[in-house]
Amino acid sequence: MSELFLLSEAQMARISPHFPLAHGVPRVDDRRVVSGIIYVIRNGLQWKDAPTGNGPHKTVYNRFVRWCRLGVFSRIFQRLAA
C-alpha cells in the first residue's frame, strides 16, 4: 500500500484561514480530512473508498458537504487564483 496523501504544512497554512471555527467539540485534524477530500475527488473514488488514514469516510464526506454549503472551497479557489 502506498503512503498516505497529505497536504504539506505550507499548503495548509495558505488555506486554513478559510475554514470555519470549531464549535464545542474539537474537530478531527483538518489537514487529514482535506487531504482525504482531495484524494477522493482527484482519483474519482466513492467516499467509502477514502483512505482510513484520513479519518472515517463519513467524516470526510460530511465535512465536504458542510464546507461546500458554506462556500469554503469557493473562497479557497478564489484566493488561490488571485
Side-chain angles (χ1 to χ4, degrees):
M1 183 173 212
S2 64
E3 291 186 29
L4 185 65
F5 168 76
L6 286 175
L7 294 174
S8 69
E9 292 294 329
Q11 291 169 324
M12 277 305 295
R14 289 185 70 188
I15 64 173
S16 62
H18 303 284
F19 298 136
L21 300 175
H23 299 288
V25 179
R27 295 194 300 233
V28 175
D29 181 25
D30 285 339
R31 180 179 175 202
R32 286 186 3 205
V33 173
V34 172
S35 297
I37 291 169
I38 293 170
Y39 185 84
V40 167
I41 293 172
R42 182 183 69 187
N43 293 302
L45 302 174
Q46 294 182 3
W47 293 106
K48 66 180 182 176
D49 296 328
T52 57
N54 292 112
H57 72 275
K58 188 78 169 172
T59 301
V60 174
Y61 170 75
N62 286 340
R63 191 84 56 90
F64 172 74
V65 170
R66 188 176 313 122
W67 285 351
C68 281
R69 288 181 182 154
L70 292 173
V72 171
F73 294 111
S74 295
R75 286 192 303 273
I76 290 172
F77 295 143
Q78 287 172 355
R79 176 71 176 153
L80 293 177

